[in-house]
Amino acid sequence: MAHPLIGQSAPDFTLKASTSDMITLSSFKGQKNVVLVFYPLDFSPVCSMQIPEYSNRKDDFARNDTVVFGVNRDSIYTHKAWAAEFGIEIPLLADIKCDAAKAYGVYVEEKGHSGRAVFVIDKKGMVRDAHIENATSEFTLPVDELLKKIEQLAATV
């Protein structure tokens, strides 16, 4: 079943990043495609495989006019420590109150954090793809597959 946000304007937000910048999603409109990677917790086993993999491929994303942001409820201090330990170079956004996770429909209330999900937002600010994992312990969207979706997006614009 398609996610209800596909084809809709991406819910906007402004969140503090591990880079100490304030990131406003709508500021990328007309400039870059955006990949939002919602994940449960820094330092958790699956997240510690997934997010570094996206970070390691940031140049491949950049070649496709795309920026990638990790998003979860952890603080920027936790994000900075995790990024330093794992060599993560993509900005990690602190969604402390999980407002962004709620806006994207991926907040897991009983656990108090976001689920694992990837959203592709085009340069027009529209949600073009959503991959929602059934369980937070899963990471089934290979980065190569995500990059192919972004390349196809560039070809259709």
Side-chain angles (χ1 to χ4, degrees), residues 15-23 28 35-37 39 42 51 54-55 58 66-72 76 79-80 82-83 88-94:
L15 296 171
K16 191 152 190 176
S18 54
T19 56
S20 297
D21 299 316
M22 294 299 288
I23 302 292
F28 294 91
V35 172
L36 297 179
V37 182
Y39 65 102
D42 295 346
I51 301 303
Y54 288 109
S55 179
K58 73 179 179 118
T66 302
V67 294
V68 180
F69 297 110
V71 185
N72 82 4
I76 62 158
H79 285 335
K80 285 179 180 187
W82 189 50
I88 297 167
E89 296 179 4
I90 61 171
L92 304 174
L93 308 183

Side-chain angles (χ1 to χ4, degrees), residues 3-64:
H3 192 280
L5 285 177
I6 292 179
Q8 304 296 314
S9 287
D12 198 19
F13 58 75
T14 300
L15 296 171
K16 191 152 190 176
S18 54
T19 56
S20 297
D21 299 316
M22 294 299 288
I23 302 292
T24 299
L25 180 63
S26 60
S27 70
F28 294 91
K29 199 171 184 178
Q31 311 282 322
K32 300 273 184 197
N33 300 309
V34 176
V35 172
L36 297 179
V37 182
F38 287 91
Y39 65 102
L41 299 165
D42 295 346
F43 293 102
S44 62
V46 177
C47 300
S48 293
M49 289 185 312
Q50 179 188 20
I51 301 303
E53 192 170 326
Y54 288 109
S55 179
N56 291 341
R57 301 293 296 277
K58 73 179 179 118
D59 292 342
D60 294 328
F61 286 105
R63 274 192 284 282
N64 288 287

Side-chain angles (χ1 to χ4, degrees), residues 33-38 50-51 53-55 57-58 60-62 64 66-70 90 117-122 127-133 139-154:
N33 300 309
V34 176
V35 172
L36 297 179
V37 182
F38 287 91
Q50 179 188 20
I51 301 303
E53 192 170 326
Y54 288 109
S55 179
R57 301 293 296 277
K58 73 179 179 118
D60 294 328
F61 286 105
N64 288 287
T66 302
V67 294
V68 180
F69 297 110
I90 61 171
V118 177
F119 290 87
V120 176
I121 300 162
D122 69 14
V127 177
R128 291 295 168 205
D129 193 70
H131 179 88
I132 316 296
E133 295 291 358
F139 165 41
T140 63
L141 178 63
V143 176
D144 286 336
E145 187 178 321
L146 178 59
L147 282 162
K148 282 180 189 162
K149 290 179 182 199
I150 291 166
E151 288 167 5
Q152 290 168 350
L153 180 68

